[in-house]
Amino acid sequence: AIADTRRGERQVDFQGTGFVTAVVYDLDLFEPDMAIEGPAIIENKTTTIVILPGKHAAMDDFGNIIVTL
């Protein structure tokens, strides 16, 4: 479940929005068809993906994170 990938929260300064609370997710625990809404951060040891407020991200069947702007 997506709740199992959640690491915590972090304050992030988005241009035009200012500081907001973003949920931080563990990329290594994501599975195909898992989806989230921004503001969020998906990260592991080598990758950080920032999802802007109001945007959508999901993992496809090949393990790619697709961000819908």
Side-chain angles (χ1 to χ4, degrees), residues 3-27:
D4 296 332
T5 69
R6 189 176 171 144
R7 283 187 175 172
E9 297 178 342
R10 187 176 302 154
Q11 290 295 305
V12 180
D13 186 8
F14 290 102
Q15 183 178 359
T17 306
F19 281 94
V20 296
T21 302
V23 179
V24 179
Y25 296 94
D26 187 337
L27 178 59

Side-chain angles (χ1 to χ4, degrees), residues 5-59:
T5 69
R6 189 176 171 144
R7 283 187 175 172
E9 297 178 342
R10 187 176 302 154
Q11 290 295 305
V12 180
D13 186 8
F14 290 102
Q15 183 178 359
T17 306
F19 281 94
V20 296
T21 302
V23 179
V24 179
Y25 296 94
D26 187 337
L27 178 59
D28 293 329
L29 300 177
F30 256 65
E31 297 178 5
D33 297 323
M34 285 187 170
I36 60 168
E37 297 292 327
I41 298 169
I42 307 170
E43 63 185 10
N44 66 11
K45 289 182 180 180
T46 62
T47 303
T48 301
I49 304 166
V50 178
I51 312 302
L52 300 173
K55 305 307 177 192
H56 175 86
M59 180 175 274

